[in-house]
Amino acid sequence: KAGVTQTPRYLIKTRGQQVTLSCSPISGHRSVSWYQQTPGQGLQFLFEYFSETQRNKGNFPGRFSGRQFSNSRSEMNVSTLELGDSALYLCASSPGQGNTGELFFGEGSRLTVL
Amino acid sequence: GQQLNQSPQSMFIQEGEDVSMNCTSSSIFNTWLWYKQEPGEGPVLLIALYKAGELTSNGRLTAQFGITRKDSFLNISASIPSDVGIYFCAGRMNTGFQKLVFGTGTRLLVSP
């Protein structure tokens, strides 16, 4: 069974640009969550999608957005990039039935903003 | 952002030693989980706990859900070099769907 796949793995952007990250969950999983990981703030929850609906959102500015498609694949977008957005962005999937907290993480997309 | 207090921050031990780490929160959680992250990888679930007072083992790993529901403990017995990594606790609130609040992490180094 294939794991969670995130693309791209690495990317470099400049301030003011925007970026889109993609996540393919484990087959059959309907819940996709996104986390930002930085040395200073650790792992912070961005948002969770289930059946194409955002059902929870973390404390991030509106520049951070996401969506989920009918095949459960998800994308997140960060607009008007700032230096502080440099981070590892992790996607995690779960079956969705029953909120157990048992998440399966991808390897992440490492974003560097110059 | 919110982070759970995890200690110790790092540990450097000899192979074969036992390890203990803990996680505390000011909030009550309905689920406590422990994840391990290795370089270049995402976190991997080790143990999940669902009831206050619950003690669960996974091989050499044992974790407990604190009675107050505000803390959890992870023990690793007879450590081996492949135990190296960063261990994170995480809590889930009853109304949080799959949202997890993560701890600050414990970096474990094991000397052969």
Side-chain angles (χ1 to χ4, degrees):
Chain A
K1 199 175 191 181
V4 176
T5 304
Q6 291 188 246
T7 57
R9 288 291 312 278
Y10 302 92
L11 65 166
I12 300 174
K13 294 285 187 177
T14 57
R15 280 183 298 174
Q17 287 187 310
Q18 72 159 15
V19 66
T20 299
L21 308 177
S22 179
C23 173
S24 293
I26 292 172
S27 177
H29 284 192
R30 294 166 62 192
S31 168
V32 174
S33 304
W34 289 89
Y35 288 80
Q36 181 195 65
Q37 186 173 28
T38 60
Q41 294 297 313
L43 283 148
Q44 295 293 323
F45 173 79
L46 281 157
F47 24 65
E48 183 204 354
Y49 289 87
F50 179 79
S51 292
E52 301 179 67
T53 301
Q54 185 184 90
R55 63 179 185 180
N56 212 338
K57 189 177 189 304
N59 296 322
F60 279 83
R63 301 184 296 108
F64 292 81
S65 63
R67 59 178 175 169
Q68 186 180 34
F69 302 96
S70 58
N71 61 359
S72 293
R73 192 176 68 84
S74 178
E75 289 181 346
M76 68 162 283
N77 183 278
V78 188
S79 62
T80 318
L81 284 166
E82 301 177 0
L83 295 178
D85 296 333
S86 294
L88 180 67
Y89 290 88
L90 291 161
C91 169
S93 77
S94 65
Q97 282 88 10
N99 298 306
T100 63
E102 297 182 20
L103 305 183
F104 296 83
F105 283 87
E107 294 178 317
S109 292
R110 183 166 295 282
L111 169 65
T112 301
V113 182
L114 302 177
Chain B
Q2 184 183 10
Q3 281 185 279
L4 306 178
N5 298 312
Q6 197 171 335
S7 64
Q9 190 172 16
S10 62
M11 303 181 75
F12 183 41
I13 62 172
Q14 298 283 335
E15 182 177 2
E17 289 185 23
D18 296 344
V19 171
S20 292
M21 58 189 79
N22 69 78
C23 193
T24 59
S25 168
S26 56
S27 304
I28 289 175
F29 289 104
N30 284 68
T31 308
W32 280 94
L33 308 106
W34 286 89
Y35 285 83
K36 177 188 178 186
Q37 186 175 26
E38 298 183 30
E41 306 285 332
V44 174
L45 179 65
L46 299 173
I47 291 180
L49 303 151
Y50 300 103
K51 287 167 55 172
E54 180 181 358
L55 187 72
T56 296
S57 293
N58 178 8
R60 295 178 295 104
L61 277 61
T62 301
Q64 184 161 24
F65 190 142
I67 290 292
T68 65
R69 294 161 68 192
K70 293 183 177 181
D71 58 3
S72 180
F73 305 87
L74 175 69
N75 295 314
I76 305 173
S77 62
S79 58
I80 58 178
S82 62
D83 289 334
V84 166
I86 303 177
Y87 292 78
F88 291 98
C89 62
R92 193 192 73 82
M93 293 180 176
N94 190 39
T95 57
F97 295 108
Q98 292 286 50
K99 174 186 175 181
L100 299 181
V101 179
F102 279 87
T104 48
T106 294
R107 184 181 297 273
L108 178 64
L109 296 172
V110 180
S111 172

